[in-house]
Structure formats: C-alpha cells, structure tokens
C-alpha cells in the first residue's frame, strides 16, 4: 500500500467559502480518480499542526496508481486551486 500525505496552509486572504470548496474538491478525488483506495481531507483543529491549516491523506495500491493520480485532469484542476488558496505545502509518499 502506498500512503500519500499532504499538509498545507491556507492563505490569509482565502475566504471560508473558497476553502470549503477546496476541501470538497479534494474529497471528490476519491470518486473521480481511478486507483484511489481511500482519501480524506479536512481542516486542522489541533494546536500541534505547526502552522498547517489543512491536510489530505490518500491511499493507493501501487506507486503506478499514485503516478496516475498525480497526472489525472481532476487532480491537476485541484492543484490549481491549491496554488491559488494555499502556501507552505508539503507532501510525503511512503510504502506502508
């Protein structure tokens, strides 16, 4: 199993509605992109987040599935939103 973890920080000028739409778009990738085994996303409520305001966790059966996810048009569209609304993004991929 391949685990994909992304943490990011919302820009101060991003509205609540824009961020809610971003989270919904991230969550929708679970159904829109083949090869996604599981995917969750949401706003951080912990005081241990080191400044990161949101996170995403996705699971794939193979590195090839993760690669297809990265290039999928639905994922690329969400990346555009991420670029406009967030800063300080970090992603980690590992085999579980």
């Amino acid at each position: 199993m391949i685990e994909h973890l992304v943490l990011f920080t919302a820009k101060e000028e991003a509205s609540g509605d824009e961020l809610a739409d971003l989270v919904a778009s991230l969550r929708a990738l679970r159904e829109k992109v083949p090869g996604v085994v599981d995917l969750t996303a949401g706003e951080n409520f912990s005081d241990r987040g080191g400044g990161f305001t949101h996170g995403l966790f996705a699971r794939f059966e193979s590195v090839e599935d993760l690669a297809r996810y990265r290039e999928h048009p639905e994922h690329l569209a969400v990346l555009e939103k991420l670029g406009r609304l967030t800063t300080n993004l970090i992603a980690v991929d590992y085999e579980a």
Side-chain angles (χ1 to χ4, degrees):
M1 225 20 95
I2 302 299
E3 314 285 347
H4 175 63
L5 177 64
V6 181
L7 302 174
F8 54 91
T9 304
K11 291 181 178 177
E12 287 186 26
E13 62 270 18
S15 74
D17 287 344
E18 288 174 315
L19 293 172
D21 175 67
L22 174 60
V23 170
S25 296
L26 288 166
R27 290 176 178 166
L29 292 173
R30 180 177 182 181
E31 303 303 322
K32 292 182 176 183
V33 180
V36 177
V37 173
D38 193 21
L39 186 147
T40 60
E43 185 175 356
N44 177 39
F45 61 83
S46 170
D47 61 357
R48 302 175 299 154
F52 291 103
T53 61
H54 293 76
L56 172 137
F57 174 78
R59 181 172 283 149
F60 304 87
E61 287 193 20
S62 69
V63 172
E64 294 79 17
D65 287 338
L66 174 60
R68 283 188 287 276
Y69 166 83
R70 286 183 179 152
E71 299 301 321
H72 193 279
E74 294 287 345
H75 178 251
L76 295 175
V78 174
L79 284 182
E80 188 276 326
K81 285 183 188 182
L82 276 168
R84 281 189 296 107
L85 300 173
T86 69
T87 185
N88 200 26
L89 183 142
I90 186 169
V92 176
D93 302 313
Y94 57 92
E95 190 168 0

